[in-house]
Amino acid sequence: MKASTFFVGLVSGVVAGSAAVLFSTPQSGSDLRSNVKTASSDWKEKLSEVKFQISDLKQSIAGLTKTAKTDVPQTINELKQSVQQWQSETAPIQESLQNEIASIQLAMEELEKSIAKHQKDSSPANS
């Protein structure tokens, strides 16, 4: 549903409701005319205010859209560059850590072999 259709329906409903209240209350003709004039001027002011707010909202949305079109791609590019820089800076550290992990694994394997050999040599069957 379009916003303009919604607002037209809303304003029409409010005007119809106000008119129904004005005409259904018991009052003299001059009082009724006075109340209709007052209500009419009040509604004109409120309608003018709503139009101004809608115009302001449209301008804000247009400004946000323009900002989003320029700022979002720029921010994405900056993030990509930051990630690429981080990856290039951490690549040597990552390689170094992988080498250290490999040497620790090798040392653990040698230690396990050594312990297994020592247990085999120390077993009661060999005594």
Side-chain angles (χ1 to χ4, degrees):
M1 175 190 303
K2 288 186 174 180
S4 60
T5 306
F6 173 75
F7 285 115
V8 167
L10 179 66
V11 169
S12 299
V14 170
V15 168
S18 298
V21 168
L22 280 173
F23 292 121
S24 65
T25 56
Q27 52 191 325
S28 69
S30 62
D31 288 341
L32 178 62
R33 285 188 293 275
S34 173
N35 287 341
V36 168
K37 285 181 184 179
T38 304
S40 175
S41 65
D42 288 346
W43 281 108
K44 285 179 184 178
E45 289 176 22
K46 289 179 182 179
L47 186 59
S48 174
E49 185 178 325
V50 167
K51 285 181 181 179
F52 174 75
Q53 289 175 350
I54 290 172
S55 174
D56 191 36
L57 179 64
K58 285 180 181 179
Q59 289 176 354
S60 295
I61 290 172
L64 287 173
T65 302
K66 183 179 178 183
T67 301
K69 285 180 181 179
T70 58
D71 290 351
V72 169
Q74 180 181 354
T75 303
I76 289 172
N77 287 335
E78 289 173 359
L79 285 172
K80 285 180 181 179
Q81 290 174 355
S82 295
V83 167
Q84 289 173 349
Q85 181 180 359
W86 176 80
Q87 287 175 337
S88 66
E89 289 174 355
T90 59
I93 297 169
Q94 183 179 8
E95 187 177 328
S96 173
L97 287 173
Q98 288 175 344
N99 290 337
E100 287 184 38
I101 290 171
S103 66
I104 290 171
Q105 287 175 335
L106 183 61
M108 288 181 67
E109 289 172 4
E110 290 176 6
L111 182 61
E112 287 174 350
K113 288 178 185 178
S114 173
I115 290 173
K117 183 179 178 186
H118 179 67
Q119 287 178 344
K120 184 178 177 184
D121 291 342
S122 301
S123 67
N126 290 338
S127 298

